[in-house]
Amino acid sequence: MPFDDLRSFLDALDEQGQLLKISEQVKAEPDIAAAANAAGRIGEGSPALWFDNVEGFDNARIAMNTIGSWQNHAISMGLPANTTTKHQVDEFIRRWDTFPIAPERRDNPPWAENSVEGEDVNLFDILPLFRLNDGDGGFYLDKASVVSRDPLDPDHFGKQNVGIYRMEVKGKRKLGLQPVPMHDIALHLYKAEERGDDLPVAITLGNDPIITLMGATPLKYDQSEYEMAGAIRQAPYPIATAPLTGLDVPWGSEVVIEGVIEGRKREIEGPFGEFTGHYSGGRNMTVVRIDKISYRTNPIFESLYLGMPWTEVDYLIGPATCVPLYQQLKAEFPEVQAVNAMYTHGLLAIISTKKRYGGFARAVGMRAMTTPHGLGYVKMVIMVDEDVDPFDLPQVMWALSSKVNAAGDLVQLPNMSVLELDPGSSPAGITDKLIIDATTPVAPDNRGHYSQPVKDLPETKEWISKLNELIAQQTGKKEKTS
């Protein structure tokens, strides 16, 4: 069964031993963020973390690292916890092809149990806020799904965007929000400000895992995250109508914050420890005025630790970046076999492809950099042959070490766009991009000496299965005797 809210997902994690409940009293700072940071350092099976005994708070309920392992990512998609990363990506692709699945509108959302409006709004009364890294400029909401509409086409359901953007808490009813220029909310805001208007938004916290995944997925401008969520969860996604803005929001959210991004108003926001493993400095960012908050009784506050990879954000973003890039490239280049864009939001992508002719792989690499996501993120592409698995890093390193000749296989593209958060960009938002062609040259490119490749023996595949069976039998025998 798909999860309609965060609570049912946490229950499933608990049932499968992937939720660690920490009963001892902890300090909001630094313990909660440090524990989530540590979860990314203890191995790939790290659990979600639950805190309900936080010094200084009467009834805090905080969830961290909910999708912070491949096991938890698999459970979020309704797959067995031991599903391999590659199979999770393959299943993501299969479900993607069932898009769109229309959402289901429901009444009586749980977040409608309580509400405050206007001057009675005080975020600090509702959320147990804490800093995520020592150098952060303040408290942040960084795992909320933000809903906005195209102000010039408000009735187009597909142009209603659901995205995840960092927001600094700047007052009891004020937030600073970063609308990355490559993201849809920036286009919505631009259109509103051109007309002299504010942009209404609904900020939803404590959501089921699939809409969180969709908020992190680079869809086309007119593709609905709710319709894609239905495809990924293989069931209509439940939505409800936000009472103040009329925006469509997740039915099962813990908290729904409604207000506006105030047009043509900017204030300093930051710094913030980002997914790049570096702090972003203070910048002029938009200001959100909060006009209404609706929330469940005793809401669960879910936050996302970001810092030096890997952290939860890398599991969250990984397949959600690989699959759209694969689908967009595959539509134009059927030869593309797989895309691994797991690394730092896809700043690095590894792509395997067949070749039609010499130079073909480089053309695919250049196209990856001009997809909607690639324009802002893909700054380095490694191209490999179709028989190299881009998810198998030893194979990729073999291709790099044996196929690349720096004299002709490095393509540098100067002064290309990248998101401003890339610490290597100079000035911020501009970088040289690089394609590394680690494929075997084909005619008319006749460089190198690749005419006698060593291939796996025909019987190897059969022996892989046989060896795995024998190892499993031997492990079983040892467990019985121990």
Coordinates of all heavy atoms in Angstrom, one line a residue, residues 80-143:
P80 N 10.9 -4.2 -1.6 CA 11.6 -4.8 -0.5 C 12.8 -4.0 -0.1 O 13.5 -3.4 -0.9 CB 12.0 -6.2 -1.1 CG 11.0 -6.4 -2.1 CD 10.7 -5.1 -2.7
A81 N 13.1 -3.9 1.2 CA 14.2 -3.1 1.7 C 15.6 -3.4 1.1 O 16.4 -2.6 1.0 CB 14.3 -3.2 3.2
N82 N 15.8 -4.7 0.7 CA 17.0 -5.1 0.1 C 17.2 -4.9 -1.4 O 18.1 -5.4 -2.0 CB 17.3 -6.6 0.5 CG 16.3 -7.5 -0.1 OD1 15.3 -7.1 -0.7 ND2 16.5 -8.8 0.1
T83 N 16.2 -4.2 -2.0 CA 16.3 -4.0 -3.4 C 17.5 -3.2 -3.8 O 17.8 -2.2 -3.1 CB 15.0 -3.2 -3.9 OG1 13.9 -3.9 -3.5 CG2 15.0 -3.0 -5.4
T84 N 18.3 -3.6 -4.8 CA 19.5 -2.9 -5.1 C 19.3 -1.6 -5.7 O 18.2 -1.3 -6.2 CB 20.3 -3.8 -6.2 OG1 19.6 -3.8 -7.4 CG2 20.6 -5.2 -5.7
T85 N 20.3 -0.7 -5.6 CA 20.1 0.6 -6.2 C 19.8 0.6 -7.6 O 18.9 1.4 -8.1 CB 21.5 1.4 -6.0 OG1 21.9 1.3 -4.6 CG2 21.3 2.9 -6.3
K86 N 20.4 -0.2 -8.4 CA 20.2 -0.3 -9.8 C 18.7 -0.7 -10.1 O 18.0 -0.1 -11.0 CB 21.1 -1.2 -10.5 CG 21.0 -1.2 -12.1 CD 22.0 -2.1 -12.7 CE 22.0 -2.0 -14.2 NZ 20.7 -2.2 -14.8
H87 N 18.2 -1.7 -9.3 CA 16.8 -2.1 -9.5 C 15.8 -1.0 -9.1 O 14.7 -0.9 -9.7 CB 16.6 -3.4 -8.8 CG 17.1 -4.6 -9.5 ND1 18.2 -5.3 -9.1 CD2 16.8 -5.2 -10.7 CE1 18.5 -6.3 -9.9 NE2 17.6 -6.2 -10.9
Q88 N 16.2 -0.2 -8.1 CA 15.3 0.9 -7.7 C 15.2 1.9 -8.8 O 14.2 2.4 -9.1 CB 15.9 1.5 -6.4 CG 15.7 0.6 -5.2 CD 16.1 1.3 -3.9 OE1 15.6 2.5 -3.6 NE2 16.9 0.7 -3.1
V89 N 16.4 2.2 -9.5 CA 16.4 3.1 -10.6 C 15.6 2.6 -11.7 O 14.8 3.3 -12.4 CB 17.8 3.5 -11.0 CG1 17.8 4.3 -12.3 CG2 18.5 4.2 -9.9
D90 N 15.8 1.3 -12.0 CA 15.0 0.6 -13.1 C 13.5 0.7 -12.8 O 12.7 0.9 -13.8 CB 15.5 -0.8 -13.3 CG 16.9 -1.0 -13.8 OD1 17.4 0.1 -14.4 OD2 17.4 -2.0 -13.7
E91 N 13.1 0.4 -11.6 CA 11.7 0.5 -11.2 C 11.1 1.9 -11.3 O 10.0 2.1 -11.7 CB 11.5 -0.1 -9.8 CG 10.0 -0.1 -9.3 CD 9.1 -1.0 -10.2 OE1 9.6 -1.8 -11.0 OE2 7.9 -0.9 -10.0
F92 N 12.0 2.8 -10.9 CA 11.6 4.3 -11.0 C 11.3 4.6 -12.5 O 10.3 5.2 -12.8 CB 12.7 5.1 -10.5 CG 12.3 6.5 -10.0 CD1 12.7 6.8 -8.6 CD2 11.7 7.4 -10.7 CE1 12.3 8.0 -8.1 CE2 11.3 8.6 -10.2 CZ 11.6 8.9 -8.9
I93 N 12.1 4.1 -13.4 CA 11.9 4.3 -14.9 C 10.7 3.7 -15.3 O 9.9 4.3 -16.1 CB 13.2 3.8 -15.6 CG1 14.4 4.7 -15.4 CG2 12.9 3.8 -17.2 CD1 15.7 4.1 -15.9
R94 N 10.4 2.4 -14.9 CA 9.2 1.7 -15.3 C 8.0 2.4 -14.9 O 7.0 2.6 -15.7 CB 9.2 0.3 -14.8 CG 8.1 -0.6 -15.3 CD 7.9 -1.9 -14.5 NE 7.4 -1.6 -13.1 CZ 6.1 -1.3 -12.9 NH1 5.2 -1.3 -13.9 NH2 5.7 -1.1 -11.6
R95 N 7.9 2.9 -13.7 CA 6.8 3.6 -13.2 C 6.6 5.0 -13.8 O 5.5 5.5 -14.0 CB 6.9 3.8 -11.6 CG 6.8 2.4 -10.9 CD 6.8 2.7 -9.4 NE 7.0 1.4 -8.6 CZ 6.9 1.3 -7.3 NH1 6.7 2.4 -6.6 NH2 7.1 0.2 -6.7
W96 N 7.7 5.6 -14.1 CA 7.7 6.9 -14.8 C 6.9 6.8 -16.1 O 6.2 7.8 -16.4 CB 9.2 7.4 -15.1 CG 9.4 8.7 -15.6 CD1 9.1 9.1 -16.9 CD2 9.9 9.9 -15.0 NE1 9.4 10.4 -17.1 CE2 9.9 10.9 -15.9 CE3 10.3 10.1 -13.7 CZ2 10.4 12.2 -15.6 CZ3 10.8 11.4 -13.3 CH2 10.8 12.4 -14.3
D97 N 7.1 5.7 -16.8 CA 6.4 5.6 -18.1 C 4.9 5.4 -17.9 O 4.2 5.4 -18.9 CB 7.0 4.4 -18.8 CG 8.4 4.6 -19.3 OD1 8.7 5.8 -19.5 OD2 9.1 3.6 -19.5
T98 N 4.4 5.3 -16.7 CA 2.9 5.2 -16.5 C 2.3 6.6 -16.3 O 1.1 6.8 -16.1 CB 2.5 4.3 -15.3 OG1 3.0 4.9 -14.1 CG2 3.1 2.9 -15.5
F99 N 3.1 7.7 -16.2 CA 2.7 9.1 -16.1 C 1.8 9.4 -17.3 O 2.0 9.1 -18.4 CB 3.9 10.0 -16.0 CG 3.6 11.5 -16.1 CD1 3.2 12.1 -14.9 CD2 3.6 12.1 -17.3 CE1 3.0 13.5 -15.0 CE2 3.3 13.5 -17.4 CZ 3.0 14.2 -16.2
P100 N 0.7 10.2 -17.0 CA 0.2 10.7 -15.7 C -0.9 9.9 -15.1 O -1.6 9.2 -15.8 CB -0.4 12.1 -16.1 CG -0.9 11.8 -17.5 CD 0.0 10.8 -18.2
I101 N -0.9 9.9 -13.8 CA -2.0 9.3 -13.0 C -2.7 10.4 -12.3 O -2.0 11.0 -11.4 CB -1.5 8.1 -12.1 CG1 -1.0 7.0 -12.9 CG2 -2.7 7.7 -11.2 CD1 -0.5 5.8 -12.1
A102 N -3.9 10.7 -12.6 CA -4.6 11.9 -12.0 C -4.7 11.7 -10.5 O -4.9 10.6 -9.9 CB -6.0 12.0 -12.6
P103 N -4.6 12.8 -9.7 CA -4.7 12.8 -8.3 C -6.1 12.6 -7.8 O -7.1 12.7 -8.6 CB -4.2 14.1 -7.8 CG -4.5 15.0 -9.0 CD -4.3 14.2 -10.2
E104 N -6.3 12.3 -6.5 CA -7.6 12.1 -5.9 C -7.8 13.2 -4.9 O -7.0 13.3 -3.9 CB -7.6 10.7 -5.2 CG -8.9 10.5 -4.4 CD -8.8 9.3 -3.5 OE1 -7.7 8.7 -3.3 OE2 -9.9 8.8 -3.0
R105 N -8.8 14.0 -5.1 CA -9.1 15.1 -4.1 C -9.9 14.6 -2.9 O -10.9 13.9 -3.1 CB -9.8 16.3 -4.8 CG -9.9 17.5 -3.9 CD -10.5 18.7 -4.7 NE -9.6 19.0 -5.9 CZ -8.5 19.7 -5.9 NH1 -8.1 20.2 -4.7 NH2 -7.9 20.0 -7.0
R106 N -9.4 14.8 -1.7 CA -10.1 14.3 -0.5 C -10.5 15.5 0.4 O -9.8 16.5 0.4 CB -9.1 13.4 0.3 CG -8.8 12.1 -0.5 CD -7.9 11.2 0.4 NE -7.4 10.0 -0.3 CZ -6.5 9.2 0.3 NH1 -6.1 9.4 1.5 NH2 -6.1 8.1 -0.4
D107 N -11.5 15.2 1.2 CA -11.9 16.1 2.2 C -11.3 15.8 3.5 O -10.6 14.8 3.7 CB -13.5 16.1 2.3 CG -14.2 16.5 1.1 OD1 -13.7 17.4 0.4 OD2 -15.3 15.9 0.8
N108 N -11.5 16.7 4.5 CA -11.1 16.5 5.9 C -9.6 16.1 6.0 O -9.2 15.1 6.6 CB -11.9 15.4 6.5 CG -13.4 15.7 6.5 OD1 -13.8 16.9 6.8 ND2 -14.2 14.7 6.2
P109 N -8.7 16.9 5.5 CA -7.3 16.7 5.7 C -6.9 16.8 7.1 O -7.4 17.6 7.9 CB -6.6 17.8 4.8 CG -7.6 18.9 4.8 CD -8.9 18.2 4.8
P110 N -6.0 15.9 7.6 CA -5.6 16.0 9.0 C -5.0 17.3 9.4 O -5.1 17.7 10.6 CB -4.6 14.8 9.2 CG -4.2 14.5 7.8 CD -5.3 14.8 6.9
W111 N -4.3 18.0 8.5 CA -3.7 19.3 8.9 C -4.8 20.4 9.2 O -4.4 21.5 9.6 CB -2.8 19.8 7.8 CG -3.3 19.7 6.4 CD1 -2.9 18.8 5.4 CD2 -4.1 20.7 5.7 NE1 -3.6 19.1 4.2 CE2 -4.3 20.2 4.4 CE3 -4.8 21.8 6.1 CZ2 -5.1 20.9 3.5 CZ3 -5.6 22.5 5.2 CH2 -5.7 22.0 3.9
A112 N -6.0 20.1 8.9 CA -7.1 21.1 9.2 C -7.5 21.1 10.6 O -8.4 21.9 11.0 CB -8.3 20.9 8.2
E113 N -6.9 20.3 11.5 CA -7.4 20.2 12.9 C -7.2 21.5 13.7 O -8.0 21.8 14.5 CB -6.6 19.1 13.6 CG -6.9 17.7 13.1 CD -6.0 16.6 13.7 OE1 -4.9 16.9 14.3 OE2 -6.4 15.4 13.7
N114 N -6.1 22.2 13.4 CA -5.8 23.5 14.1 C -5.4 24.5 13.1 O -4.8 24.2 12.0 CB -4.7 23.3 15.1 CG -4.9 22.1 16.0 OD1 -5.6 22.2 17.0 ND2 -4.3 20.9 15.7
S115 N -5.6 25.8 13.4 CA -5.2 26.9 12.5 C -5.0 28.2 13.3 O -5.6 28.4 14.3 CB -6.1 27.1 11.4 OG -7.4 27.6 11.8
V116 N -4.1 29.0 12.8 CA -3.9 30.4 13.3 C -3.7 31.3 12.1 O -3.2 30.8 11.0 CB -2.6 30.5 14.2 CG1 -2.9 29.8 15.5 CG2 -1.4 29.9 13.5
E117 N -4.1 32.6 12.2 CA -4.1 33.5 11.1 C -3.5 34.8 11.5 O -3.6 35.2 12.7 CB -5.5 33.7 10.5 CG -6.1 32.5 9.9 CD -7.4 32.8 9.2 OE1 -7.4 33.7 8.3 OE2 -8.4 32.1 9.5
G118 N -3.1 35.6 10.5 CA -2.7 37.0 10.7 C -1.6 37.2 11.8 O -0.7 36.4 11.9
E119 N -1.9 38.1 12.7 CA -0.9 38.5 13.7 C -0.8 37.4 14.8 O 0.1 37.4 15.6 CB -1.3 39.8 14.4 CG -1.1 41.0 13.5 CD 0.4 41.1 13.1 OE1 1.3 40.9 13.9 OE2 0.6 41.5 11.9
D120 N -1.7 36.4 14.8 CA -1.6 35.3 15.8 C -0.6 34.3 15.3 O -0.3 33.4 16.1 CB -3.0 34.6 15.9 CG -4.0 35.6 16.6 OD1 -3.6 36.4 17.5 OD2 -5.2 35.4 16.4
V121 N -0.1 34.4 14.1 CA 0.8 33.4 13.6 C 2.2 33.5 14.3 O 2.7 34.6 14.4 CB 1.0 33.6 12.1 CG1 2.3 32.8 11.6 CG2 -0.2 33.2 11.3
N122 N 2.7 32.4 14.8 CA 4.0 32.4 15.4 C 4.6 31.0 15.1 O 4.2 30.1 15.8 CB 3.9 32.7 16.9 CG 5.3 32.9 17.5 OD1 6.3 32.5 16.9 ND2 5.4 33.5 18.7
L123 N 5.5 31.0 14.2 CA 6.1 29.7 13.8 C 6.8 29.0 15.1 O 6.8 27.8 15.2 CB 7.2 29.9 12.8 CG 6.8 29.9 11.3 CD1 8.0 30.3 10.4 CD2 6.2 28.6 10.9
F124 N 7.3 29.8 16.0 CA 8.1 29.3 17.1 C 7.1 28.6 18.1 O 7.6 27.7 18.9 CB 8.8 30.4 17.8 CG 9.8 31.1 16.9 CD1 9.5 32.3 16.3 CD2 11.1 30.5 16.7 CE1 10.4 32.9 15.5 CE2 12.0 31.2 15.8 CZ 11.6 32.4 15.2
D125 N 5.9 28.9 18.0 CA 4.9 28.2 18.9 C 4.6 26.8 18.3 O 4.1 25.9 19.1 CB 3.6 29.0 19.0 CG 3.7 30.2 19.8 OD1 4.7 30.3 20.6 OD2 2.9 31.1 19.7
I126 N 4.8 26.5 17.0 CA 4.3 25.3 16.4 C 5.4 24.4 16.1 O 5.3 23.1 16.1 CB 3.5 25.7 15.1 CG1 2.3 26.5 15.5 CG2 3.1 24.5 14.3 CD1 1.6 27.2 14.3
L127 N 6.6 24.9 15.7 CA 7.7 24.1 15.2 C 8.9 24.1 16.2 O 9.3 25.2 16.7 CB 8.2 24.5 13.8 CG 7.1 24.5 12.7 CD1 7.7 25.1 11.5 CD2 6.6 23.1 12.5
P128 N 9.5 23.0 16.5 CA 10.7 22.9 17.3 C 11.9 23.2 16.5 O 12.6 22.2 15.9 CB 10.7 21.5 17.9 CG 10.0 20.7 16.8 CD 9.0 21.6 16.2
L129 N 12.3 24.4 16.3 CA 13.3 24.8 15.3 C 14.7 24.7 15.9 O 15.0 24.9 17.1 CB 13.1 26.2 14.9 CG 11.7 26.5 14.2 CD1 11.4 27.9 14.0 CD2 11.7 25.7 12.8
F130 N 15.7 24.3 15.0 CA 17.1 24.2 15.4 C 18.0 24.4 14.2 O 17.5 24.2 13.1 CB 17.4 22.8 16.1 CG 16.9 21.7 15.2 CD1 17.8 21.1 14.3 CD2 15.6 21.2 15.3 CE1 17.4 20.0 13.5 CE2 15.2 20.1 14.5 CZ 16.1 19.5 13.6
R131 N 19.2 24.8 14.4 CA 20.1 24.9 13.3 C 20.7 23.6 12.9 O 20.9 22.7 13.7 CB 21.3 25.9 13.7 CG 20.9 27.4 13.8 CD 22.1 28.2 14.1 NE 22.7 27.8 15.3 CZ 24.0 28.1 15.7 NH1 24.7 28.9 15.0 NH2 24.5 27.7 16.8
L132 N 21.0 23.5 11.6 CA 21.5 22.2 11.1 C 23.1 22.2 11.1 O 23.7 21.1 11.3 CB 21.0 22.0 9.7 CG 19.5 21.7 9.6 CD1 18.9 22.0 8.3 CD2 19.2 20.3 10.1
N133 N 23.7 23.3 10.9 CA 25.2 23.4 11.0 C 25.6 24.6 11.7 O 24.9 25.6 11.8 CB 25.8 23.4 9.5 CG 25.9 22.0 8.9 OD1 26.6 21.1 9.4 ND2 25.2 21.8 7.8
D134 N 26.8 24.6 12.3 CA 27.2 25.6 13.2 C 27.2 27.0 12.5 O 26.9 28.0 13.2 CB 28.6 25.4 13.8 CG 28.6 24.2 14.8 OD1 27.6 23.8 15.3 OD2 29.7 23.6 15.0
G135 N 27.6 27.0 11.3 CA 27.7 28.3 10.6 C 26.4 28.8 9.9 O 26.5 29.8 9.2
D136 N 25.3 28.1 10.1 CA 24.1 28.5 9.5 C 23.6 29.9 10.1 O 23.8 30.1 11.3 CB 22.9 27.5 9.7 CG 23.1 26.3 8.9 OD1 24.0 26.3 8.0 OD2 22.4 25.3 9.1
G137 N 23.1 30.7 9.2 CA 22.6 32.1 9.6 C 21.4 32.1 10.5 O 21.0 33.1 11.0
G138 N 20.7 30.9 10.6 CA 19.5 30.9 11.4 C 18.9 29.5 11.3 O 19.5 28.5 10.9
F139 N 17.6 29.4 11.8 CA 16.8 28.2 11.6 C 16.4 28.0 10.2 O 16.0 29.0 9.5 CB 15.6 28.2 12.6 CG 16.0 28.4 14.0 CD1 15.3 29.4 14.7 CD2 17.0 27.7 14.6 CE1 15.6 29.6 16.1 CE2 17.3 27.9 16.0 CZ 16.5 28.9 16.7
Y140 N 16.3 26.8 9.7 CA 15.8 26.6 8.3 C 14.7 25.5 8.2 O 14.7 24.6 9.0 CB 17.0 26.2 7.4 CG 17.8 27.3 6.9 CD1 18.8 27.9 7.6 CD2 17.5 27.8 5.6 CE1 19.5 29.0 7.1 CE2 18.2 28.9 5.1 CZ 19.2 29.5 5.8 OH 19.9 30.6 5.3
L141 N 13.8 25.8 7.3 CA 12.9 24.7 6.8 C 13.5 24.3 5.5 O 13.5 25.1 4.5 CB 11.5 25.3 6.6 CG 10.9 26.1 7.8 CD1 9.5 26.6 7.4 CD2 10.8 25.3 9.1
D142 N 13.9 23.1 5.4 CA 14.6 22.6 4.2 C 14.1 21.3 3.6 O 14.7 20.8 2.7 CB 16.2 22.5 4.5 CG 16.5 21.4 5.4 OD1 15.6 21.0 6.2 OD2 17.7 20.9 5.4
K143 N 13.0 20.8 4.2 CA 12.4 19.6 3.6 C 10.9 19.8 3.4 O 10.1 18.9 3.4 CB 12.7 18.4 4.5 CG 12.6 17.1 3.7 CD 13.0 15.9 4.6 CE 13.0 14.6 3.8 NZ 13.2 13.4 4.6

